[in-house]
Structure formats: structure tokens, C-alpha cells
Amino acid sequence: MKKLSLVEKLVWVINVLAVFLLLLACAVPYISSSSFAFLSFLSLSVPILVFTNFIFLLYWVFRGKKQFLPSLLILIFGYFILGAFLKFNGGEDEILEEDLSVMSFNVHVFNKYNTIKNPRVFDDVKALVDTEKPDIICFQEAGYERKNEYLKDYPYHSLEYIHMQGKILLGFFSKYPIIKTDFIWFPNSANNAAYADIVYKKDTIRVYNVHLESLGVTPGYGVLTKEPLDSLYLKLTDRFKKQQEQAKMLEAHMKATTYKQIVCGDFNNTQFSNVYKTIKGDKQDTFIERGFGYGRTLNFHKLPVRIDFILADKAFEVKSHKNFDVEYSDHFPIMASFELKEE
């Protein structure tokens, strides 16, 4: 430190703080939000912390100072603990007709509240589906008012409230027979999860459609600027705790069935959270397996984040993953395809 200038000492202090915060973020997936909800904030900031430490690393390297070591070590450690949020799997693979294709999309009630400048969102979503032709679709925030106009090419569907008063609607659409649907009731929440048992290739698979507790800081609502910081902090910590409770309920439900499973949905949290780790278990994240690039599914106050996922049991081989860059909602749709492995 004696050889550092005053400016370099200031940079060093900030650098140490960035290293410490990324180190804490590495612990977040292993710590329940029910106990330390405030740490969940770090799961949203991992890409920023990685980028910040990388800048510090370059700064010290170009200055020929050994102070680059902490940032280098935490970046290496973070990569092995958290994994990469950028994937380069050779580009998006073609989705083959013989594979099982699944789309997940939080359609935000098809722009019912005019949060984006597009009066044709409903028709645009239908056109996207007509082009991509997924075998199974999971919609979150589906909207009930236009149910008779939904995707008529899908002979099997579930789009009913069924004891969901006050709940945000979830929709299933399938080209394969749906033999059972039911809900996983999240208490004291407008959010919910559902499942559909679908007959596919003489087997029955269970597809979960998940919409975890919303944080209430979605762009366009002005929550971050209108609420006092202490009130906002309490609100977010409460919602992180609810997410954890909901993830535990879903985990228990999934463990109670022997069906092969695919999980789709809006987790309202990132892959660096304990919520994601709880739901994922030993399942495959299709973006991690076959995705390309950053995998953005939401622009969170101009910061791209990945909070929508498709996960699958190892009974499925992940053949492809696709992110769509279309502004039909505050979220972006995702799609994956699978081959069911022979037993």
C-alpha cells in the first residue's frame, strides 16, 4: 500500500469491497432466503459484480500492480461456484420436428395495461407460436378475458381458474393429451404454480408451470423511486422470503411424483439464488446446456437478467434452447427441445 498513490488507494478500497460482495454472492445459493433475505439482493447483482471485478483486474494488470490478485481469485472462485452467465454453445440449434419442444412465456396479460407500445400483442404472440410450433406451451399471466381466442391448433389445454380466485392465471397448451391438471396453492400470494400430466410417446410426463412471488419492482411501475428505501427494503425481503417458501413447496411436490418432469416459468429471481437452486435440484437448465449468449429474459431497469427458466430431468436429453428478442411483454419468451432417453 505504501507504493500506491492516493487515487490508487481509493480504488483499492472500492476493489476490496467489490471482491467481498462477490464472495458473499457466491454464498447466496447455499443460504435460505427465509433466514437471510437481505443477501438475496446480491443474486440480482452478480453480473454487475463480475464485470466490476473484471475492470479492477484490468486496471491493476495495466498498472503492473499485484493488487489484481484478489479480483482474479474471486472471479475464478465465482466461476466454479456460480457458473457462467454467458454461454457459447456454438449458437442456437435447429429444433427438430421429432423432438419434444416446449415454450415458456410470461405474456403479462397480453399487454392489457398498455405497458408497451404495441396494440397487436395478442396477434403477435399467436403469430410467434404459429411460426415456432412448440408442442407444449406454458403461459404465465395468461389473462382470461380472451380465452376463446386462444391457440385453436392446440387440442389440449388448461386455462381455468379452478379455485384460483385472486390468483394470476397460468395456461397450458399441448398437442399431446393432457390427462390431469392441478395447482400448487401458494398461500398469501397472487402467484401460483400448476402442473399438467401429459401423455407423450406412451409415457406420462409432468410439466410444471411456475410463477413465483413478484418483487413488485418491475420497470414502468416507478416503485424504486416512489417508495422510501426502508419501506422498499422491508417489502423486498418479505417477497424474497415468500419466494423461498414457494420454492420449498414446489420442491416437495416434485419429489412426491415418479413422473419425468419439465419445469417452466418465471421465478422472479436469477440462477444465482437459493430459490433457483432449490427448484433446480439435479435438473438440467436448458440455457446452461444448449443456450447461447447472455440469455436475457427480462430487462430489469435496463439491466438484462435471466429470471425465466426451462428445467428438465436427466431422463430428457436437451437438444436445443432458444431465446427470443421480441417485445410482446415485459418478459421475453424462451423455448427448448428434448429427446426422451430410452430406459
Side-chain angles (χ1 to χ4, degrees):
M1 290 288 287
K2 293 181 179 179
K3 295 181 181 180
L4 299 181
S5 67
L6 182 61
V7 172
E8 288 176 331
K9 288 180 181 179
L10 178 60
V11 171
W12 173 242
V13 170
I14 301 172
N15 188 169
V16 170
L17 177 61
V19 169
F20 176 71
L21 289 176
L22 186 52
L23 181 62
L24 274 182
C26 289
V28 170
Y30 304 92
I31 300 175
S32 171
S33 300
S34 301
S35 304
F36 299 96
F38 67 94
L39 287 178
S40 296
F41 291 100
L42 291 175
S43 67
L44 301 174
S45 61
V46 166
I48 297 173
L49 292 172
V50 169
F51 179 75
T52 301
N53 275 281
F54 183 70
I55 294 299
F56 281 126
L57 170 64
L58 294 180
Y59 176 84
W60 295 116
V61 166
F62 284 127
R63 287 184 170 269
K65 305 284 187 178
K66 63 182 180 181
Q67 276 75 14
F68 75 89
L69 283 172
S71 285
L72 175 63
L73 293 175
I74 193 59
L75 288 173
I76 295 173
F77 181 72
Y79 176 80
F80 285 104
I81 297 298
L82 299 174
F85 55 85
L86 286 171
K87 300 301 294 184
F88 301 98
N89 291 320
E92 292 178 346
D93 298 301
E94 181 183 358
I95 296 178
L96 303 178
E97 187 176 349
E98 61 266 27
D99 293 333
L100 176 67
S101 55
V102 180
M103 176 180 284
S104 180
F105 189 14
N106 182 328
V107 294
H108 200 209
V109 206
F110 297 105
N111 201 31
K112 177 182 177 181
Y113 304 107
N114 298 312
T115 53
I116 59 176
K117 295 179 180 179
N118 182 354
R120 291 182 46 82
V121 162
F122 188 83
D123 295 324
D124 287 342
V125 172
K126 289 204 297 183
L128 175 68
V129 170
D130 288 342
T131 300
E132 298 298 329
K133 298 179 174 58
D135 296 314
I136 299 170
I137 304 170
C138 292
F139 281 152
Q140 302 88 44
E141 297 190 46
Y144 194 71
E145 295 82 357
R146 301 180 67 174
K147 72 167 189 172
N148 293 327
E149 303 174 56
Y150 270 68
L151 312 172
K152 296 179 180 179
D153 290 340
Y154 289 78
Y156 309 99
H157 58 270
S158 173
L159 189 72
E160 301 293 339
Y161 275 105
I162 312 177
H163 310 299
M164 288 183 68
Q165 294 85 352
K167 294 287 188 179
I168 296 170
L169 188 61
L170 302 169
F172 290 98
F173 297 86
S174 174
K175 294 179 181 179
Y176 297 97
I178 297 177
I179 58 174
K180 181 183 178 181
T181 60
D182 207 345
F183 301 101
I184 304 168
W185 186 270
F186 294 158
N188 304 313
S189 174
N191 297 70
N192 220 28
Y195 68 86
D197 292 339
I198 299 174
V199 177
Y200 174 69
K201 289 189 175 180
K202 299 181 180 180
D203 204 344
T204 300
I205 64 173
R206 176 162 289 183
V207 179
Y208 286 91
N209 192 355
V210 181
H211 189 200
L212 296 187
E213 185 72 19
S214 301
L215 297 181
V217 291
T218 305
Y221 291 92
V223 176
L224 290 180
T225 56
K226 289 182 179 179
E227 287 197 29
L229 284 178
D230 57 343
S231 174
L232 181 62
Y233 173 79
L234 291 174
K235 175 181 179 178
L236 290 178
T237 52
D238 177 67
R239 296 195 176 194
F240 280 129
K241 288 179 180 179
K242 281 189 175 181
Q243 285 184 354
Q244 189 69 52
E245 293 167 3
Q246 293 164 1
K248 284 290 186 182
M249 290 178 64
L250 182 60
E251 177 189 38
H253 196 280
M254 291 189 297
K255 286 183 176 179
T257 182
T258 58
Y259 289 147
K260 302 174 180 68
Q261 301 167 17
I262 295 174
V263 181
C264 300
D266 172 9
F267 292 7
N268 275 307
N269 214 322
T270 71
Q271 70 266 39
F272 310 114
S273 65
N274 185 262
V275 164
Y276 167 85
K277 186 174 184 293
T278 298
I279 297 172
K280 180 177 181 292
D282 61 357
K283 290 181 172 60
Q284 306 167 92
D285 182 327
T286 60
F287 172 77
I288 298 297
E289 298 296 323
R290 304 297 298 177
F292 182 82
Y294 189 80
R296 168 199 68 168
T297 67
L298 176 77
N299 281 334
F300 180 74
H301 294 275
K302 299 184 179 180
L303 293 174
V305 293
R306 189 169 76 94
I307 65 172
D308 300 83
F309 304 92
I310 300 177
L311 312 175
D313 281 344
K314 292 181 179 177
F316 297 92
E317 179 184 351
V318 181
K319 302 296 291 294
S320 70
H321 175 96
K322 190 173 183 179
N323 287 78
F324 296 90
D325 186 18
V326 291
E327 295 188 20
Y328 303 154
S329 166
D330 54 343
H331 290 249
F332 299 92
I334 55 176
M335 184 170 166
S337 65
F338 309 92
E339 181 180 351
L340 189 57
K341 296 177 182 178
E342 295 184 3
E343 296 182 352

